[in-house]
Amino acid sequence: MSTTRTVVETPARLTGRLGTIGIVFMVVAAAAPLTVIGGNMPLALGMGNGAGAPVGFLIAATILLLFSVGFVAMTPHVREAGAFFSYVTLGLGERAGMGIAAVALVAYTAIQAGIYGYIGWAIDDTVRFYGGPTVPWPVYSMLTLVIVAFLGYRHIDLSAKVLGVALVAEIGIVLVLDVAILVNPGPSGVTMQSFDPGTFADGAIGVAVLFALTGFIGFESTAVFRDEAYRPEKTVPRATYTAVLLIGGFYAFTCWAFVVAVGPDAIANVAQRTLDGNANMLLDTTHDQLGGFGRDIVNVLLLTSLFACVLSFHNVIARYQFVLAGMRVLPRLLATVHPKHHSPSFSSVVQTCTAIVLVAIFAAFGVDPLVGVFGSMAGVATVGMIILMLTTSIAVLAFFSRNSEARAGRRVRTLIIPAIATAGLIGGMILVLSNFTLVTSGSIGLSVGLALVPFAAFVGGWFFGKQRGAEVERKAPAEVAAISGLERGRMKDRDPLTHEEM
């Protein structure tokens, strides 16, 4: 009797020894703190609830911290570095997971393209400010892209070091500015009026929360680096909590410091003048507190903040593609690991080519780099981020609801808090969609079209997952393990809690 054996090739895995600090650098850099302070903060102050905007950042941080509780509780049961894709697949099944994979790729690709437009404009603006020539923004964007491509192709540790230096510099200068403001406050002195209910409840606090939420894009990517992390079962949770607390605390404290610098009665008007292009709250306040030299430093660090952001998203997208290719969702070549750099080299190259194509298209059609490129792409990414976190939160509830052993004695962390987080994220989605024209700075028609892009991606991914599932059912058991569930098979071998039908 002859026996036919099918050999299933185990996909290559990335390696590394990133610690908590290294991952936090990658994640916080993606959030681009200085860019958020220069862009999102005036929006929250000018269009939101004025002096009460710091509370908006605290509310956003609280929502994301609640989300992180369930996210972290589920992490030990998720063996793949696919972040949301892996969590949703385990909790809600392969079709939903495929939908979320598509949303993630669209959202992160969109924000990366938007940042390339922003940094191209910002470099040109800086060069002209110091007397240099006017150069089309795509030139600077492409030069930035080349540097990102070089770093992204190599081992993750190199990117972590570059991001670490940039991040420490930008946070350091802002903290110096914050301290200078407290030493030399504005006309109202060191006031706590921002935290008075009569202040933060006055005006559109929902708009402040909206722009605060958009400032956290990228914080959830901690799980993407689990294969390159040292002791990921401890490193990933620590990095997630640290990132949320650091980003949220930093934003809220700095926003309050600017209220102190300008005064609670005048801050909304100053922020609105910034939005109208008649002032620059960040640079003007820096000049008042730290002089011209301090202003120059912040101006340069704004550029490094944008660079750190786009490099971080490049690494995230490359790893998403790598994991999906390892599961044969995307072409197998994307799962190639460089023999020397131990990086997802081919996926990195493909990601670079994608960015080049997008920048070239925007340039060819003469799209404005700020309103057209950054505004529209940031809008797509914001809706995508909320979809990703909301679906993941629901997946956490579904997973722990049917796995009594997994939640053993942890009902609050695995069910109650995730349910509260889900409600908060639904509220966040309503805020984003009802105020979406503020995010995109575009017409209602354009805003509706952009808002539908992530939803369309989810539907497309779901349909692909359905087709893929039908194809898998026709294959031999060993091939099923290779195509639809290598990760599921490994989890069953390692963790009996995942034996239940997903």
Side-chain angles (χ1 to χ4, degrees):
M1 184 176 76
S2 63
T3 302
T4 302
R5 301 180 63 189
T6 302
V7 178
V8 179
E9 179 186 357
T10 301
R13 300 179 76 91
L14 300 174
T15 60
R17 293 181 62 83
L18 285 175
T20 300
I21 294 177
I23 296 178
V24 168
F25 278 156
M26 301 290 292
V27 172
V28 177
L34 194 54
T35 303
V36 171
I37 290 167
N40 292 46
M41 193 174 74
L43 287 165
L45 290 163
M47 304 178 74
N49 56 340
V55 176
F57 283 98
L58 291 177
I59 292 174
T62 300
I63 293 173
L64 299 185
L65 196 60
L66 290 173
F67 163 80
S68 298
V69 172
F71 184 70
V72 166
M74 192 171 171
T75 295
H77 309 289
V78 180
R79 300 299 181 184
E80 294 298 331
F84 289 137
F85 164 79
S86 298
Y87 287 74
V88 173
T89 299
L90 183 58
L92 300 177
E94 186 169 319
R95 293 180 188 177
M98 291 297 297
I100 283 303
V103 173
L105 287 174
V106 167
Y108 289 135
T109 299
I111 192 60
Q112 186 192 40
I115 294 297
Y116 274 123
Y118 196 152
I119 197 171
W121 171 87
I123 294 175
D124 176 56
D125 184 65
T126 301
V127 171
R128 287 188 291 107
F129 178 81
Y130 291 109
T134 298
V135 176
W137 68 267
V139 174
Y140 290 120
S141 296
M142 289 295 185
L143 290 174
T144 303
L145 204 153
V146 170
I147 300 173
V148 169
F150 171 77
L151 294 172
Y153 187 83
R154 300 175 70 85
H155 196 280
I156 191 66
D157 287 345
L158 178 59
S159 291
K161 291 174 182 176
V162 172
L163 292 173
V165 172
L167 188 61
V168 168
E170 66 176 285
I171 289 181
I173 189 64
V174 174
L175 289 178
V176 169
L177 175 61
D178 292 343
V179 171
I181 290 172
L182 296 181
V183 172
N184 182 34
S188 299
V190 181
T191 174
M192 302 300 291
Q193 187 175 329
S194 293
F195 307 100
D196 184 287
T199 299
F200 67 73
D202 183 32
I205 188 172
V207 175
V209 174
L210 159 65
F211 287 111
L213 282 172
T214 62
F216 283 83
I217 293 178
F219 94 92
E220 74 295 330
S221 60
T222 50
V224 175
F225 300 100
R226 67 174 297 133
D227 284 349
E228 296 156 284
Y230 175 68
R231 299 176 67 189
E233 70 282 356
K234 294 184 179 294
T235 303
V236 171
R238 288 173 181 169
T240 302
Y241 285 131
T242 302
V244 175
L245 291 171
L246 181 61
I247 296 172
F250 182 72
Y251 288 163
F253 179 70
T254 300
C255 189
W256 169 68
F258 272 74
V259 173
V260 170
V262 179
D265 296 330
I267 188 68
N269 290 331
V270 172
Q272 188 59 56
R273 289 181 59 225
T274 299
L275 300 180
D276 294 338
N278 298 318
N280 188 313
M281 189 172 67
L282 173 59
L283 295 181
D284 293 345
T285 303
T286 302
H287 186 275
D288 292 341
Q289 295 290 336
L290 304 178
F293 182 67
R295 185 192 189 283
D296 292 341
I297 292 176
V298 169
N299 204 0
V300 172
L301 289 179
L302 274 170
L303 302 181
T304 63
S305 175
L306 289 167
F307 176 78
C309 178
V310 77
L311 173 59
S312 184
F313 278 119
H314 175 95
N315 286 325
V316 169
I317 300 168
R319 280 149 185 80
Y320 251 109
Q321 293 175 163
F322 176 89
V323 172
L324 294 176
M327 298 172 184
R328 297 192 180 182
V329 173
L330 294 178
R332 190 69 170 171
L333 273 176
L334 289 168
T336 302
V337 177
H338 195 282
K340 177 181 178 182
H341 302 305
H342 306 289
S343 63
S345 52
F346 189 80
S347 181
S348 179
V349 170
V350 169
Q351 170 52 29
T352 297
C353 293
T354 302
I356 290 174
V357 170
L358 289 174
V359 171
I361 290 175
F362 286 129
F365 284 92
V367 180
D368 180 81
L370 282 183
V371 177
V373 181
F374 179 72
S376 61
M377 294 297 97
V380 172
T382 299
V383 174
M385 181 194 75
I386 302 293
I387 293 175
L388 291 172
M389 290 195 296
L390 178 57
T391 309
T392 301
S393 202
I394 295 172
V396 170
L397 286 171
F399 174 77
F400 285 112
S401 293
R402 66 171 183 265
N403 285 285
S404 57
E405 287 185 65
R407 67 173 183 267
R410 299 185 302 162
R411 189 177 182 84
V412 173
R413 290 176 56 196
T414 58
L415 294 177
I416 296 177
I417 293 180
I420 296 173
T422 299
L425 289 167
I426 290 174
M429 178 63 83
I430 293 172
L431 284 175
V432 169
L433 294 179
S434 61
N435 296 280
F436 200 58
T437 54
L438 298 179
V439 180
T440 62
S441 299
S443 65
I444 294 177
L446 175 62
S447 297
V448 169
L450 291 171
L452 289 176
V453 170
F455 291 101
F458 182 85
V459 172
W462 178 284
F463 179 77
F464 179 78
K466 181 179 180 180
Q467 295 296 105
R468 183 168 172 264
E471 178 184 347
V472 164
E473 288 177 359
R474 296 193 297 267
K475 295 186 178 287
E479 293 176 305
V480 171
I483 297 176
S484 72
L486 270 174
E487 77 287 355
R488 190 159 60 228
R490 283 196 295 271
M491 286 190 289
K492 287 182 179 180
D493 291 338
R494 300 177 185 177
D495 191 346
L497 295 178
T498 59
H499 276 224
E500 296 186 23
E501 181 65 24
M502 291 194 287

